[in-house]
Amino acid sequence: MPDPADATVFFVGNATMIIRSHGFTLLTDPNFLHRGQWARLGYGLRTRRRTEPAMQVTQLPPVDLVVLSHMHGDHWDAIARDGLDKDLPIVTTHHAAHRLRRQGFHRAVALDPWEYHFVRRHDATLTVTATPARHAPGPVDRLMPPVMGSVLDFAHTGEVDLRMHISGDTIMDPCLAEIPRRFPDIDVGVVHLGGTRILGVTVTMDGLQGAEWLRLMQPESALPVHYDDYEAFASPLKDFQQYVRRAGLSHLVHYLMRGETYRLPVRQAGLRPHRPVTGPGGGAGPPYG
């Protein structure tokens, strides 16, 4: 049995990460387009990549599971479609699962919010739970592909000792409030930023919303992703850094650059640490959980 404490995130770029823990290897939102190539967003819209991914799809380690937040070209591209093993389980929305099965990925797992996919390997388990997300305000949301966030619970001998929450491409919305009620004690929150603008509408969290998301979710630590890889991103990382400083939350955030590895904080046996997030006025955040 691999050591549960040997848990890491490798940041490939955009929202693509390789997460290793408890003997499982996960790939998130696989996007391997090169600098200058175009990601398709639907309805003839597209955005050009500004950066290179930190690795190519052919350099991936053996992957047990893919978690795909939604079907947009900066989260699932033709390189991923052609380069990944068609037998890989891919946990995603119903909309994306239907598209994936047409591409030959017949083990795609479709989840509604709060539904989960469970995997066991010896004494280790992984539970992927879909969480609500909203990709755009008002009626514009109906023009966007359905999107989900996800909670990853890694457990050893029945005890959850690492809980990650990945926001997915969402804006701040009342539907998110239920997440920390159902899943308190988030060890690592991965927040999709960028303030993506499509047809003049913001469809992912900008810097201010990202800081609000931190106060809502109250993770022990946070990793921002999805902030500078595409031309459609209108809110640079410095916006998020500014609002995080104003909110007094800088101590929570680790800025992981493409190609870097972050060691995940696996809990000690029997402990489920949680502390309230404190804002600039010294008061605790909302009493979720």
Side-chain angles (χ1 to χ4, degrees):
M1 167 69 194
D3 184 356
D6 186 17
T8 58
V9 170
F10 178 82
F11 184 33
V12 178
N14 203 44
T16 309
M17 299 173 290
I18 299 170
I19 301 171
R20 301 177 191 254
S21 188
H22 295 63
F24 299 104
T25 300
L26 281 68
L27 176 66
T28 67
D29 290 330
N31 177 215
F32 296 96
L33 293 177
H34 299 288
R35 183 189 296 113
Q37 292 184 313
W38 295 85
R40 299 175 183 273
L41 303 178
Y43 303 101
L45 300 173
R46 57 184 190 162
T47 182
R48 185 162 53 189
R49 186 157 192 168
R50 297 167 168 161
T51 64
E52 279 291 320
M55 67 164 50
Q56 309 306 314
V57 69
T58 54
Q59 298 173 307
L60 286 170
V63 172
D64 299 303
L65 185 75
V66 176
V67 179
L68 175 62
S69 61
H70 67 303
M71 187 59 76
H72 256 161
D74 62 323
H75 294 257
W76 178 268
D77 57 35
I79 297 175
R81 179 197 65 201
D82 296 339
L84 291 176
D85 187 341
K86 292 295 194 292
D87 286 332
L88 266 177
I90 303 177
V91 179
T92 189
T93 64
H94 284 270
H95 171 267
H98 175 71
R99 295 276 300 274
L100 289 166
R101 290 175 190 133
R102 291 172 57 186
Q103 295 176 10
F105 292 88
H106 298 294
R107 297 184 67 191
V109 177
L111 298 181
D112 285 321
W114 311 124
E115 292 183 338
Y116 63 89
H117 179 68
F118 180 81
V119 185
R120 178 183 294 277
R121 178 172 294 163
H122 306 296
D123 289 337
T125 61
L126 166 65
T127 306
V128 181
T129 304
T131 58
R134 185 178 179 88
H135 209 337
V140 178
D141 191 55
R142 293 196 293 270
L143 302 177
M144 306 292 283
V147 62
M148 72 178 201
S150 55
V151 170
L152 312 178
D153 276 341
F154 295 92
H156 180 239
T157 60
E159 176 107 9
V160 173
D161 46 23
L162 176 61
R163 170 170 288 166
M164 298 182 67
H165 172 42
I166 305 174
S167 71
D169 278 14
T170 185
I171 58 173
M172 284 298 291
D173 185 84
C175 73
L176 304 184
E178 184 65 17
I179 298 170
R181 295 190 186 108
R182 295 191 185 217
F183 293 96
D185 301 344
I186 295 170
D187 297 298
V188 181
V190 179
V191 54
H192 290 204
L193 297 170
T196 311
R197 299 279 289 178
I198 297 179
L199 298 177
V201 178
T202 298
V203 299
T204 64
M205 287 182 280
D206 57 16
L208 174 59
Q209 291 187 55
E212 293 172 347
W213 185 89
L214 286 183
R215 282 192 56 80
L216 175 63
M217 298 301 164
Q218 301 190 73
E220 289 289 313
S221 59
L223 302 174
V225 299
H226 194 275
Y227 51 78
D228 69 350
D229 292 272
Y230 284 91
E231 291 179 350
F233 295 170
S235 178
L237 186 60
K238 66 181 181 180
D239 289 352
F240 176 69
Q241 293 170 321
Q242 172 186 344
Y243 285 110
V244 164
R245 283 195 299 269
R246 289 182 181 177
L249 303 177
S250 296
H251 61 288
L252 298 182
V253 184
H254 180 85
Y255 294 98
L256 186 63
M257 300 296 104
R258 283 173 292 275
E260 290 186 351
T261 298
Y262 174 73
R263 184 164 296 279
L264 293 166
V266 177
R267 305 168 186 170
Q268 297 180 17
L271 298 179
R272 296 178 58 85
H274 184 63
R275 61 177 180 271
V277 173
T278 302
Y288 299 113

